[in-house]
Amino acid sequence: MAKIYDSYADIVADIHDGATLLVGGFGLVGIPENLIIALRDKGVSNLTVVSNNCGVDDWGLGLMLREKQIKKMISSYVGENKEFERQFLAGELEVELTPQGTLAERIRAGGAGIPAFYTPAGVGTPIAEGRETRVFDGKEYLLETGIVGDFALIKAWKADKMGNLIYRKTARNFNPMMATAGKITIVEVEEIVEVGELDPDQIHTPSVYVQRLIQAPSFEKRIERRTVRNA
């Protein structure tokens, strides 16, 4: 049964310097924005962060990047953050770019206890240089390792008091697989309901994967890039 917290400072208190974090979200959709702010305020540093991207300059993981709390990013897209670009080109930030589908599968594999798998993605590109490949049925595949984090930071829509989770629409993205691959999974939600109020057929992440839970006072839910159509 997940432990329910009232304080963001308390729920992240044992996240330590040098930890590996799995951070849910896609762009700015479904990011654990309040947990990120709590870590920014805590001042933890030297982190390895696994996330699809690194937020934008003034929101999401970009807040921690600006404070130079992140040592290494493992991600698939980094094009919305100028500070990310500056730190990388200056040699201040390690970056491990991974194809998006491969990143998702590496996290899923870590959560399932699978240490490694073969994929055709990346074969014949710089990603495969110096790495193990193997031929199956005449086709070359690249060995990729599973990813497990010390902590997973997750944003969900609803939870019951046991920690069963439901995500809303595209906020589902990387969150469910990351919830399984964290040694300690910390979840912030919009609403906590009594056990039995969630339809069992609608639960996306069972409570067995969730150790800590907090109901956020609010979510800003920024739009990463707003575009309008000319009339």
Side-chain angles (χ1 to χ4, degrees), residues 169-183:
K169 299 184 178 180
T170 56
R172 193 167 171 181
N173 53 59
F174 276 83
N175 281 296
M177 63 195 74
M178 286 185 170
T180 71
K183 295 177 183 177

Side-chain angles (χ1 to χ4, degrees), residues 95-147:
V95 178
E96 184 179 325
L97 281 176
T98 304
Q100 194 168 87
T102 301
L103 180 64
E105 182 61 14
R106 289 182 68 189
I107 297 164
R108 190 203 69 81
I114 298 170
F117 60 93
Y118 287 96
T119 174
V123 171
T125 74
I127 289 175
E129 291 179 2
R131 297 173 58 189
E132 180 180 341
T133 61
R134 186 172 171 183
V135 175
F136 295 92
D137 296 325
K139 186 173 182 178
E140 190 174 10
Y141 292 80
L142 175 65
L143 183 68
E144 293 281 2
T145 55
I147 295 176

Side-chain angles (χ1 to χ4, degrees), residues 9-25:
D10 289 343
I11 204 170
V12 302
D14 61 344
I15 297 182
H16 52 83
D17 291 351
T20 296
L21 306 182
L22 309 180
V23 182

Side-chain angles (χ1 to χ4, degrees), residues 158-173:
K158 286 186 179 183
D160 66 19
K161 290 184 176 180
M162 286 190 69
N164 294 300
L165 306 179
I166 294 177
Y167 308 95
R168 188 169 186 268
K169 299 184 178 180
T170 56
R172 193 167 171 181
N173 53 59

Side-chain angles (χ1 to χ4, degrees), residues 187-217:
V187 183
E188 62 174 337
V189 296
E190 299 181 37
E191 183 179 359
I192 299 176
V193 301
E194 295 294 332
V195 175
E197 289 189 36
L198 300 181
D199 180 350
D201 286 337
Q202 301 302 313
I203 290 171
H204 299 131
T205 295
S207 61
V208 67
Y209 293 111
V210 177
Q211 282 74 49
R212 302 176 191 171
L213 186 65
I214 190 168
Q215 182 170 332

Side-chain angles (χ1 to χ4, degrees), residues 22-28 49-55 61 73-79 84 96-101 103-104 107 173-174 178 224:
L22 309 180
V23 182
F26 188 102
L28 298 181
V49 176
V50 182
S51 188
N52 180 66
N53 58 289
C54 197
L61 287 170
M73 278 296 304
I74 302 175
S75 55
S76 65
Y77 178 69
V78 296
F84 189 106
E96 184 179 325
L97 281 176
T98 304
Q100 194 168 87
L103 180 64
I107 297 164
N173 53 59
F174 276 83
M178 286 185 170
E224 185 173 2

